[in-house]
């Protein structure tokens, strides 16, 4: 299947550099691998049940989404134990240390990913209890 995507030029340049360095045959092959990793990551997150301890890290453009991000964090006070914030040029990096039901941490992760001003959200599960 052929498809088209809107991707910033600088990201395409970096992506092309990486897959070439790895010796892959084509951009298509690299995109397929990236998509598989994305699906696997989603599946792992969806499969979690019970109480978990996790670190949710994300970066964002402060001026675009700060009020909305704070509102989301207030909605999830029941699972967010602690936050850490640092500035990286025009981007901010935030870490949320969470403990609670996997479903709530998963919902928080998806809410954070729903903002255009948020570039990336990563979840690292430290402990899982079924």
């Amino acid at each position: 299947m052929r498809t088209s995507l809107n991707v910033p030029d600088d990201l395409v340049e970096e992506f092309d550099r990486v897959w070439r360095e790895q010796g892959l045959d084509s951009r298509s092959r690299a995109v397929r691998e990236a998509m598989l990793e994305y699906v696997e990551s989603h599946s792992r997150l969806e499969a979690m049940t019970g109480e978990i301890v996790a670190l949710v890290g994300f970066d964002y453009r402060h001026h675009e989404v700060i009020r909305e991000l704070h509102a989301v964090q207030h909605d999830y006070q029941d699972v967010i134990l602690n936050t850490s914030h640092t500035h990286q040029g025009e981007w901010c990096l935030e870490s949320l240390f969470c403990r609670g039901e996997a479903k709530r941490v998963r919902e928080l992760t998806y809410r954070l990913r729903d903002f255009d001003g948020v570039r990336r959200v990563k979840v690292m599960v430290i402990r899982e209890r079924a």
Side-chain angles (χ1 to χ4, degrees):
M1 170 171 84
R2 291 194 177 272
T3 188
S4 66
L5 305 167
N6 292 321
V7 182
D9 291 339
D10 59 334
L11 180 56
V12 171
E13 290 170 13
E14 183 73 7
F15 186 76
D16 286 347
R17 182 189 62 74
V18 170
W19 67 260
R20 286 183 179 119
E21 282 179 3
Q22 292 180 351
L24 294 178
D25 295 334
S26 67
R27 181 188 289 157
S28 292
R29 172 69 180 168
V31 168
R32 283 193 304 274
E33 284 197 23
M35 290 172 77
L36 283 170
E37 286 183 25
Y38 182 79
V39 168
E40 289 168 358
S41 174
H42 171 77
S43 297
R44 280 191 305 274
L45 189 59
E46 282 292 314
M48 283 189 255
T49 60
E51 183 175 287
I52 64 171
V53 176
L55 170 66
V56 179
F58 59 101
D59 58 346
Y60 61 95
R61 284 202 162 103
H62 182 275
H63 64 280
E64 292 180 20
V65 292
I66 192 62
R67 284 192 179 107
E68 294 88 350
L69 287 175
H70 281 166
V72 168
Q73 289 181 36
H74 282 273
D75 290 346
Y76 289 87
Q77 297 182 71
D78 58 311
V79 294
I80 297 173
L81 300 176
N82 190 314
T83 64
S84 177
H85 179 96
T86 187
H87 299 275
Q88 299 295 311
E90 68 182 61
W91 291 89
C92 292
L93 176 61
E94 192 125 353
S95 302
L96 309 177
F97 298 93
C98 302
R99 182 178 66 214
E101 286 299 312
K103 178 182 178 186
R104 289 289 289 163
V105 175
R106 189 169 41 246
E107 289 171 359
L108 169 61
T109 301
Y110 294 159
R111 292 270 308 273
L112 294 171
R113 286 181 176 158
D114 199 29
F115 293 99
D116 288 338
V118 173
R119 183 166 53 179
R120 190 174 30 191
V121 179
K122 293 286 189 178
V123 179
M124 180 175 66
V125 176
I126 298 169
R127 184 176 44 185
E128 182 178 359
R129 294 188 215 163

